[in-house]
Amino acid sequence: MNWPSILAVPRLDHMAVIETNSPRAYFSHIPLGPIGFRVNMLRSATGRAYLAFCSQAEREAVLQRLRSSNEPGNYLARSPEAVDTLLEETRTMGYGVRADDFGGHYNQTRRQSNDGRDSIAVPIWAGDEVVAVVNLTWMHKVASVDQIVKNHLAELSKAAREISVRLLAHDQ
């Protein structure tokens, strides 16, 4: 896949970037979060994909940590109905999308900090457990979410399945 992409894993109350194809991506001028970058759970495509598909016990533990947080970027966790709705929508679509007000900064709104990007993300499974998420990122002026989903979701999902297969093969 030639679009900018990250691989992220859960870290208690956020997702952490562990790999990026940014140097090899066709649009390499789109700056992606560096290795170790903290990604917001409830506002990012990556976090939403993880929370929507992880186990209920894991989801509740993460949401409890987010509800207890004083960080402004975790405000959504204090609205259980909104969280339930967005996670159900994510499960129905099969992928995560960014919150409209999310501009890439963990705590700030898009109005305060706008990276000019949009993202979609899908989970990576190890058996019955979601262990990571892979996303696809682009400048939102280049294409709409619907266009990217139509043209690239299948490829992103295939990449996630291939990673899952390799993880399972590695464990055996």
Side-chain angles (χ1 to χ4, degrees), residues 12-67:
L12 297 175
D13 64 352
H14 65 279
M15 298 295 287
V17 174
I18 63 167
E19 186 62 72
T20 176
N21 73 343
S22 188
R24 296 178 304 277
Y26 180 71
F27 296 100
S28 62
H29 65 281
I30 300 175
L32 296 180
I35 304 300
F37 185 79
R38 287 178 66 222
V39 180
N40 188 288
M41 276 285 192
L42 286 171
R43 299 169 61 222
S44 70
T46 301
R48 287 177 171 194
Y50 177 75
L51 284 176
F53 295 101
C54 71
S55 72
Q56 185 170 345
E58 172 68 7
R59 183 178 315 109
E60 265 314 304
V62 171
L63 290 172
Q64 182 56 43
R65 286 189 285 275
L66 295 176
R67 283 190 290 269

Side-chain angles (χ1 to χ4, degrees), residues 38-121:
R38 287 178 66 222
V39 180
N40 188 288
M41 276 285 192
L42 286 171
R43 299 169 61 222
S44 70
T46 301
R48 287 177 171 194
Y50 177 75
L51 284 176
F53 295 101
C54 71
S55 72
Q56 185 170 345
E58 172 68 7
R59 183 178 315 109
E60 265 314 304
V62 171
L63 290 172
Q64 182 56 43
R65 286 189 285 275
L66 295 176
R67 283 190 290 269
S68 301
S69 169
N70 291 324
E71 292 196 71
N74 295 328
Y75 70 91
L76 190 55
R78 292 180 205 70
S79 179
E81 300 82 18
V83 169
D84 289 346
T85 298
L86 79 87
L87 294 180
E88 186 57 38
E89 289 171 354
T90 301
R91 282 188 286 273
T92 299
M93 293 184 305
Y95 59 91
V97 296
R98 280 183 167 198
D100 290 338
D101 76 336
F102 184 62
H105 188 281
Y106 192 94
N107 285 312
Q108 295 179 351
T109 65
R110 190 180 286 266
R111 189 175 311 151
Q112 296 166 305
S113 177
N114 187 358
D115 61 11
R117 301 179 315 194
D118 275 319
S119 300
I120 59 173

